[in-house]
Amino acid sequence: MNATELQEKLFYKKQSVYEKAGEAIVAEAYAFAEPYKEYLDAAKTEREAVTVSIEMARAAGFIPYKLGDALVAGGKYYYNNRDKSLYLFVIGTRPIEEGVRIAAAHIDSPRIDLKQCPLYEEAGMAFFKTHYYGGIRKYQWVATPLALHGVIVKKDGTSVTVAIGEDEKDPVFYINDLLPHLGHEMGKKPLDEAIPGEKLNVLIGNRPYIGADKDAVKLNAMSLLYEKYGITEDDFLSAELSVVPAAKARDIGFDRALIAAYGHDDRVCAYPALMSVLGLEAPENTVMCVLADKEETSSVGNTGMQSYIFPDLLTEIAKALGGNPAVVRAASRCLSADVSCAYDPNFPEVFEKRNTALLSCGVVLMKYTGARGKSATNDASAEYLGWLRSMMEKNGIVWQSGELGRVDCGGGSTVAKFIGNLNIDTVDLGVPVISMHAPCEAIAKVDLYEAYRAFVAFLHA
Ligand code: MN
Ligand code: MN
């Protein structure tokens, strides 16, 4: 055997989906990306993602489930948790004590929330005060068109849903930035300090209500809100309103290989996980797709991944099918479906190239996340990785391993550890992202599709 043949035989070689999977798969990937972009545009908040996902689930024959309901093999169910997180499951033909196959993604994304007393006027401009949600780089959110999404629950208990800035004819909102002519001192500041949180005030109006002796612009804005939604200023006290980028998902590049959009993290995993479960007919395994809220703020609260609703649902499923919940959990397997960072040649100093995912080289399997010495990581076992690896190879799925940057550089985590804590084999599998958490992130279409193919194969394995 000559050296080239020996290298071929012995060395690991990362290849792109284009090289490895062939043209037919690439064509399918580009087609799969079209409805994904529509999903992104329709689901910019977790509430909207739940609404849209339920519509899709109902169309696929899923029915609402209440805790304690009876379940039958082949049955397709969804549990809507407070309109903010969603659990879809299909009952398989195998005994429930053989475990549940779980794909768990999150549907919240970093953004800017309104404070509870948001409205004020200064120098003839009306603004909303805000409090950002998740890990944003604040300087990225100024001087760009923004949309307002959310819900207002009024004093009388009725609620109104708000979505302004998405239609071409809608107005948008805006956060002021400093002109370069006067930005010399500010320009010397570190990026993280140049735009402090209390400067993220959203501009909402400039026209006065004629005749008012003070707060005339605020009054005019409030009168328009009263006209449209029937709300008074105190109704903001019981509202959840968020500001998100107003832009729609678009292709990037002459070759259209990538998608630029808000909220790829983590809808780029939520969408293929959802689609993989919606496409199932009478599976052998019982499967579940989790679309969790609050991942970007540590997965706490009753709609986050740490909520008891998740083990409660597994327990109820086990009981309804005559299984021991502890046995069901021990036999279950989970893909924590979340994004990883893609290697970015503009910032080589923070990545370790041999162990970072490359765009278009397939879905990323991350054995561990965490920070520094693997702090707070779910470190998946070699045995589970080995099982998954052979499952993916058998199904021709293009995949790669990855981790979040250089060892001492920073880090991050996902919902994996919370599911692992329940005695469920769990590992992170997702799509590599460029500019993660930016108002406009980038992903590769072929990676999105390999994620979908990986979820389908996993649910059947
Ligand atoms: Mn994420
Ligand atoms: Mn994130």
Side-chain angles (χ1 to χ4, degrees):
M1 199 177 275
N2 69 32
T4 314
E5 287 165 347
L6 197 61
Q7 280 186 345
E8 201 64 31
K9 179 180 157 78
L10 298 181
F11 283 5
Y12 166 65
K13 189 171 140 211
K14 194 187 274 198
Q15 275 185 309
S16 83
V17 178
Y18 294 98
E19 294 165 308
K20 211 168 171 184
E23 274 182 37
I25 291 288
V26 171
E28 285 172 30
Y30 277 52
F32 189 81
E34 294 305 310
Y36 170 58
K37 286 184 281 182
E38 289 168 23
Y39 183 85
L40 284 172
D41 292 342
K44 289 195 174 178
T45 63
E46 66 281 353
R47 285 178 184 274
E48 291 170 351
V50 165
T51 303
V52 173
S53 302
I54 288 177
E55 279 170 23
M56 292 161 67
R58 293 184 87 106
F62 282 67
I63 58 169
Y65 167 84
K66 291 190 310 305
L67 293 171
D69 279 358
L71 301 168
V72 294
K76 305 191 230 182
Y77 308 91
Y78 68 87
Y79 182 81
N80 172 1
N81 183 17
R82 298 169 167 86
D83 296 330
K84 296 176 81 163
S85 65
L86 186 65
Y87 307 76
L88 304 105
F89 51 100
V90 183
I91 306 300
T93 50
R94 284 188 185 149
I96 191 63
E97 291 194 349
E98 291 185 18
V100 180
R101 294 275 187 279
I102 302 155
H106 68 92
I107 48 175
D108 61 318
S109 297
R111 61 174 185 234
I112 298 177
D113 288 342
L114 299 200
K115 292 190 185 188
Q116 296 325 114
C117 294
L119 184 59
Y120 74 100
E121 173 178 340
E122 188 83 48
M125 287 183 266
F127 295 97
F128 283 147
K129 289 298 297 178
T130 67
H131 198 136
Y132 59 94
Y133 173 97
I136 65 166
R137 310 196 75 193
K138 286 165 278 196
Y139 72 88
Q140 295 175 336
W141 290 74
V142 297
T144 189
L146 300 166
L148 183 69
H149 291 243
V151 63
I152 304 166
V153 179
K154 297 194 268 188
K155 266 194 294 280
D156 63 6
T158 60
S159 69
V160 287
T161 303
V162 176
I164 309 171
E166 296 298 338
D167 192 278
E168 291 292 304
K169 296 191 203 92
D170 282 357
V172 293
F173 305 94
Y174 189 81
I175 299 173
N176 304 351
D177 197 3
L178 199 50
L179 57 168
H181 318 67
L182 299 177
H184 187 65
E185 283 306 311
M186 182 180 159
K188 294 179 194 161
K189 290 187 179 173
L191 282 178
D192 281 352
E193 292 167 22
I195 305 284
E198 293 297 349
K199 281 199 196 293
L200 293 177
N201 302 314
V202 177
L203 181 58
I204 62 152
N206 181 227
R207 179 172 176 166
Y209 194 96
I210 296 301
D213 54 357
K214 65 175 180 52
D215 281 343
V217 178
K218 172 180 165 174
L219 181 62
N220 195 50
M222 203 60 242
S223 81
L224 291 169
L225 285 165
Y226 182 72
E227 215 172 275
K228 190 169 165 82
Y229 298 111
I231 61 161
T232 51
E233 190 181 3
D234 57 352
D235 287 322
F236 286 116
L237 293 168
S238 48
E240 276 182 6
L241 293 166
S242 305
V243 173
V244 296
K248 301 228 183 303
R250 304 281 293 268
D251 290 346
I252 301 178
F254 297 113
D255 55 12
R256 298 181 171 267
L258 310 173
I259 301 172
Y262 167 68
H264 282 310
D265 178 8
D266 184 32
R267 285 157 216 151
V268 75
C269 299
Y271 180 77
L274 174 67
M275 291 302 287
S276 70
V277 169
L278 296 190
L280 289 175
E281 288 298 340
E284 291 185 358
N285 295 315
T286 292
V287 306
M288 181 185 276
C289 169
V290 179
L291 301 179
D293 178 30
K294 295 282 180 284
E295 194 279 338
E296 298 295 357
T297 54
S298 304
S299 297
V300 293
N302 59 10
T303 56
M305 198 68 232
Q306 295 191 72
S307 165
Y308 270 58
I309 187 58
F310 176 61
D312 282 353
L313 280 168
L314 291 178
T315 299
E316 290 300 313
I317 292 169
K319 279 166 38 189
L321 298 166
N324 174 339
V327 174
V328 171
R329 284 202 312 277
S332 290
R333 290 172 182 188
C334 176
L335 293 177
S336 162
D338 207 345
V339 298
S340 184
C341 58
Y343 180 81
D344 188 338
N346 272 357
F347 304 100
E349 63 278 9
V350 298
F351 296 106
E352 194 270 280
K353 201 172 181 180
R354 288 171 191 82
N355 286 284
T356 304
L358 293 177
L359 278 183
S360 292
C361 285
V363 68
V364 194
L365 193 59
M366 277 186 296
K367 185 179 187 299
Y368 48 82
T369 58
R372 300 170 303 280
K374 298 192 178 182
S375 173
T377 182
N378 165 73
D379 202 345
S381 70
E383 288 81 358
Y384 188 43
L385 285 178
W387 177 80
L388 269 173
R389 192 185 144 199
S390 65
M391 181 276 289
M392 291 206 279
E393 298 292 341
K394 206 165 68 194
N395 288 280
I397 288 150
V398 186
W399 68 280
Q400 54 187 324
S401 70
E403 70 173 279
L404 217 59
R406 287 183 180 240
V407 172
D408 290 326
C409 246
S413 75
T414 66
V415 298
K417 59 189 172 190
F418 308 118
I419 301 169
N421 286 348
L422 297 171
N423 193 29
I424 296 171
D425 272 320
T426 305
V427 70
D428 281 294
L429 181 124
V431 174
V433 176
I434 291 280
S435 312
M436 195 193 296
H437 285 203
C440 186
E441 305 170 312
I443 62 102
K445 290 177 181 176
V446 291
D447 295 334
L448 163 69
Y449 193 56
E450 291 309 291
Y452 168 70
R453 299 208 305 135
F455 295 136
V456 171
F458 168 75
L459 298 177
H460 284 107

